[in-house]
Amino acid sequence: MNFIEEIVAKDLQEGKNDGRIQTRFPPEPNGYLHIGHVKAICLDFGIAEQFGGVCNLRFDDTNPVKEDVEYVDSITNDIAWLGFKWGHIYYASDYFDQLYELAIRFIKEGKAYVDEQTAEQIAQQKGTPTEPGQNSPYRDRPIEENLRLFEAMQRGEIEDGKMVLRAKIDMANPNMHFRDPIMYRIITTHPHHRTGTKWKVYPMYDFAHGQSDYFEGVTHSICTLEFVVHRPLYDYFIDQFVPQGEYRPHQYEFNRLNITYTVMSKRKMLQLVKEGLVAGWDDPRMPTVCGLRRRGYTPEAIRSFIDKIGYTKVEGMIDVGLLEHTIREQLKEKAPRVCAIFDPVRLVITNYPADKKETIVAENIDGIAELGTREMPFGRELWIERDDFREEADKNFFRLSPGGREVRLKNAYIIQATGCDKDAQGRVTTVYATYDELSKSGTEGGNRKTKATINWVDTDTALDAEVRLYDRLFAVEDPSADERDFRELLNPDSLKVVNCKLESSLAKAQKQDHFQFLKQGYFVVDDDSTAEHLVFNRTASLKDNWQKKA
Ligand code: ATP
Ligand code: MG
């Protein structure tokens, strides 16, 4: 059990909240979910599952300027795809009436005031953690005036930015969040995705979040460590209207997920998307859930990764190699291994009859019979990789080269190169070879060993495919720690597109099907792939550079 699960288990044992366990995942619908959110999701939903509780989804939709239904829809889709089930879908906007009433109550009790200063003036008066702030000149205006002005704000009579409602707490508090935090601001420029133009004033996140938890009956409000300093403020707001000793939510914080060679900020991701630096939120290089899905990551792999990293109270950075390792671990055992020739050159087997065709039956993964077999047409002309042939080879080159060395065509015959054709530039255009009819794999002669095996695809039936070779989006390990603008740190080689020749069995591949292209890596059928234009994305290379650190 991690430390939060231990707290929950203890609370259950002690009969807290009458044995009720209720969590929530509270995204702001201002962007797509990323793998950092998945860490929170796995804990929020996982705790509810594990302890017989419920986890709800709550959209903290308090800022119509940045929020959109597009994000609401993508968030629900992504959570369902990950395999989690929520109890209800709530919205902070469901509580706008209650929160407004609460604000009025605060004003009437002398705990809130309307400030007419600019945002800059308010910021200047904040002070620093070691220096107290200064009181606003509007801090002590009469209750009646505060009420009248706040209601005028809501009626749309005050321009955006001209007034805010602030909590009257303590401008000298060592916790900066207590220095008269803003409770409400005016937003009339953007309609709200659910409440339209009903509201002209919107609660700040800090005035909505804790109360929303309370209204819903959340018992364990789990979030990331940056909210530790907000917790006393959430508790303060609740203490103002909930009697001591009665139910209230408790917040627990864990360390955020940060991964090397990527950014984990919705703001930066939005910039990448808006500025066309990636192809969209679901670009396979993005750390978003939809990006990872398109890259070929499975929910199981993502959840297994989250399991591996665990939950603590110390911020840190996770090696992206671990994430890549996790998907390889999965695909290694289930993705059929097929032939794809990335840099094709024609091979002609001169002693193979021109009118003959045969069908090679190949195991999907060598040695794992349960994973089935597939058929590969074989004939006189094949595509092979250009670098599997050298006209002149040294003693360390064991693949095709004239001069007698034997090479096995994967799952098929042993051949020997006899020569090649070249164009005017000296580039090889055709390789010639002879085959040994008695060396076919699966027959007695098939046991004969060669020093090298090469991949091939029959030219008559080969499929053309676009293959997108994705790599890490950033060239530096920690883009957020770098002084340069994060957009200057993008890896220029994060996408290479090649056209390759695939074995014909891939005509049957469906979207999201996974394959290992032998010697090349793990690939998935892209969402845009069609029978006329096949598209595959590289999920991961074959080489695993993840080393378990002792
Ligand atoms: P913003 O940058 O817009 O504040 P956010 O990433 O905090 O965005 P929210 O929609 O507020 O996004 O996040 C919802 C929940 O996901 C929060 O409880 C937050 O603590 C959690 N969360 C966000 N980023 C991470 C992360 N990198 N690791 C773990 N949890 C995260
Ligand atoms: Mg947030």
Side-chain angles (χ1 to χ4, degrees):
M1 279 203 269
N2 63 52
F3 73 100
I4 295 182
E5 291 167 331
E6 277 170 11
I7 291 168
V8 173
K10 187 161 165 282
D11 287 350
L12 257 185
Q13 210 174 26
E14 292 173 358
K16 265 200 196 147
N17 300 305
D18 307 318
R20 221 164 42 77
I21 300 296
Q22 186 174 324
T23 60
R24 83 288 170 271
F25 175 65
E28 182 179 354
N30 62 353
Y32 283 62
L33 292 183
H34 53 62
I35 189 160
H37 293 120
V38 181
K39 179 172 179 181
I41 289 169
C42 288
L43 190 59
D44 293 328
F45 285 90
I47 284 197
E49 254 168 44
Q50 192 181 337
F51 296 99
V54 61
C55 177
N56 298 312
L57 192 52
R58 183 182 67 247
F59 290 100
D60 271 332
D61 53 351
T62 52
N63 182 3
V65 176
K66 295 199 171 147
E67 295 157 6
D68 199 282
V69 274
E70 175 196 347
Y71 302 129
V72 172
D73 294 343
S74 74
I75 290 169
T76 49
N77 278 340
D78 286 347
I79 296 175
W81 179 74
L82 286 166
F84 292 107
K85 292 195 177 57
W86 51 81
H88 289 277
I89 299 186
Y90 294 121
Y91 295 84
S93 53
D94 293 339
Y95 315 126
F96 281 174
D97 283 291
Q98 276 160 283
L99 291 167
Y100 186 79
E101 287 313 312
L102 204 55
I104 297 279
R105 175 173 168 174
F106 273 48
I107 295 173
K108 287 185 175 163
E109 292 176 359
K111 293 172 184 164
Y113 62 97
V114 172
D115 197 342
E116 291 178 48
Q117 299 184 99
T118 62
E120 293 73 44
Q121 285 170 319
I122 292 176
Q124 271 165 18
Q125 292 166 358
K126 266 259 130 124
T128 67
T130 49
E131 250 177 279
Q134 297 152 29
N135 286 353
S136 159
Y138 299 98
R139 197 171 198 259
D140 292 316
R141 72 188 339 157
I143 287 175
E144 289 315 314
E145 201 175 302
N146 283 319
L147 262 183
R148 188 171 54 75
L149 287 175
F150 186 53
E151 283 164 1
M153 282 164 66
Q154 164 53 16
R155 279 196 304 271
E157 292 164 13
I158 317 286
E159 232 179 279
D160 295 41
K162 291 283 182 225
M163 293 184 190
V164 291
L165 183 71
R166 295 178 72 179
K168 191 171 175 178
I169 312 180
D170 175 10
M171 288 304 291
N173 199 295
N175 182 337
M176 302 286 286
H177 295 281
F178 275 78
R179 298 191 182 175
D180 291 10
I182 296 172
M183 294 163 61
Y184 267 88
R185 77 274 211 216
I186 305 168
I187 300 175
T188 58
T189 49
H190 295 71
H192 188 277
H193 72 115
R194 297 189 75 240
T195 59
T197 54
K198 174 178 174 188
W199 296 97
K200 311 290 186 264
V201 291
Y202 289 90
M204 297 297 289
Y205 187 86
D206 276 356
F207 189 67
H209 185 76
Q211 285 97 301
S212 300
D213 281 347
Y214 172 79
F215 297 144
E216 280 164 19
V218 170
T219 56
H220 298 77
S221 173
I222 305 166
C223 63
T224 36
L225 286 169
E226 71 269 24
F227 292 103
V228 168
V229 285
H230 296 247
R231 185 190 340 120
L233 182 63
Y234 299 162
D235 290 344
Y236 168 86
F237 284 140
I238 287 175
D239 287 343
Q240 303 315 302
F241 67 101
V242 178
Q244 283 305 319
E246 280 187 13
Y247 149 79
R248 64 216 326 108
H250 281 270
Q251 179 175 297
Y252 301 94
E253 306 88 4
F254 66 88
N255 60 336
R256 293 175 71 81
L257 172 58
N258 299 303
I259 301 184
T260 55
Y261 298 99
T262 191
V263 293
M264 209 68 87
S265 141
K266 281 192 282 194
R267 186 178 55 79
K268 288 179 183 164
M269 290 181 205
L270 182 65
Q271 264 174 301
L272 291 173
V273 172
K274 285 236 162 108
E275 294 172 19
L277 297 167
V278 293
W281 285 97
D282 68 346
D283 186 302
R285 291 165 291 184
M286 289 282 271
T288 50
V289 173
C290 52
L292 287 165
R293 187 185 68 84
R294 200 155 175 185
R295 179 75 172 257
Y297 277 79
T298 59
E300 297 73 32
I302 296 173
R303 289 172 66 165
S304 146
F305 166 74
I306 299 292
D307 261 357
K308 287 188 171 86
I309 60 175
Y311 297 84
T312 71
K313 278 184 162 295
V314 194
E315 295 290 12
M317 179 74 92
I318 301 291
D319 184 343
V320 69
L322 177 61
L323 179 64
E324 296 162 350
H325 167 77
T326 311
I327 187 70
R328 280 190 196 101
E329 223 181 8
Q330 279 217 333
L331 297 181
K332 187 169 72 189
E333 269 150 30
K334 65 174 200 203
R337 299 178 185 181
V338 298
C339 285
I341 306 299
F342 278 37
D343 184 10
V345 69
R346 186 180 300 270
L347 172 81
V348 178
I349 305 170
T350 50
N351 61 340
Y352 194 92
D355 54 357
K356 185 175 169 184
K357 273 280 159 180
E358 61 187 298
T359 300
I360 305 284
V361 176
E363 278 187 326
N364 285 331
I365 295 188
D366 286 352
I368 309 185
E370 308 87 77
L371 286 177
T373 58
R374 64 188 195 283
E375 296 185 342
M376 294 177 72
F378 184 91
R380 177 183 163 93
E381 290 197 10
L382 308 174
W383 295 117
I384 60 168
E385 290 290 354
R386 178 171 294 280
D387 69 2
D388 279 343
F389 173 77
R390 277 194 208 164
E391 200 178 7
E392 278 165 44
D394 58 35
K395 62 178 178 10
N396 297 319
F397 185 81
F398 299 112
R399 286 164 288 161
L400 278 180
S401 186
R405 75 196 67 200
E406 292 194 322
V407 170
R408 180 169 295 282
L409 293 169
K410 177 83 181 163
N411 294 312
Y413 297 97
I414 290 176
I415 58 171
Q416 282 177 293
T418 52
C420 66
D421 286 343
K422 286 187 279 187
D423 62 15
Q425 284 75 44
R427 195 173 144 90
V428 174
T429 51
T430 307
V431 174
Y432 296 98
T434 55
Y435 86 120
D436 174 359
E437 197 184 346
L438 298 176
S439 66
K440 191 175 178 179
S441 297
T443 68
E444 210 172 305
N447 294 331
R448 199 161 90 228
K449 291 275 178 279
T450 55
K451 281 208 165 154
T453 300
I454 65 170
N455 297 315
W456 56 273
V457 168
D458 166 59
T459 57
D460 286 340
T461 55
L463 304 169
D464 287 298
E466 176 183 333
V467 170
R468 299 175 183 164
L469 303 175
Y470 290 106
D471 204 339
R472 295 163 183 181
L473 186 53
F474 286 90
V476 301
E477 205 170 276
D478 186 359
S480 306
D482 203 286
E483 282 165 11
R484 288 165 289 178
D485 184 281
F486 76 104
R487 287 162 292 193
E488 290 170 34
L489 308 173
L490 290 166
N491 172 8
D493 300 319
S494 63
L495 171 59
K496 283 194 201 117
V497 179
V498 299
N499 292 304
C500 77
K501 302 284 186 190
L502 296 181
E503 62 171 79
S504 59
S505 71
L506 286 161
K508 289 194 230 110
Q510 303 291 310
K511 284 178 187 168
Q512 287 290 312
D513 279 355
H514 296 88
F515 298 93
Q516 183 187 118
F517 290 175
L518 287 161
K519 295 187 184 171
Q520 300 288 0
Y522 295 101
F523 290 81
V524 68
V525 181
D526 185 67
D527 293 350
D528 287 345
S529 186
T530 63
E532 292 71 42
H533 184 79
L534 295 171
V535 182
F536 287 80
N537 296 330
R538 180 165 72 190
T539 307
S541 58
L542 288 179
K543 190 165 176 290
D544 199 335
N545 47 20
W546 167 252
Q547 253 103 45
K548 268 215 174 94
K549 285 163 192 126

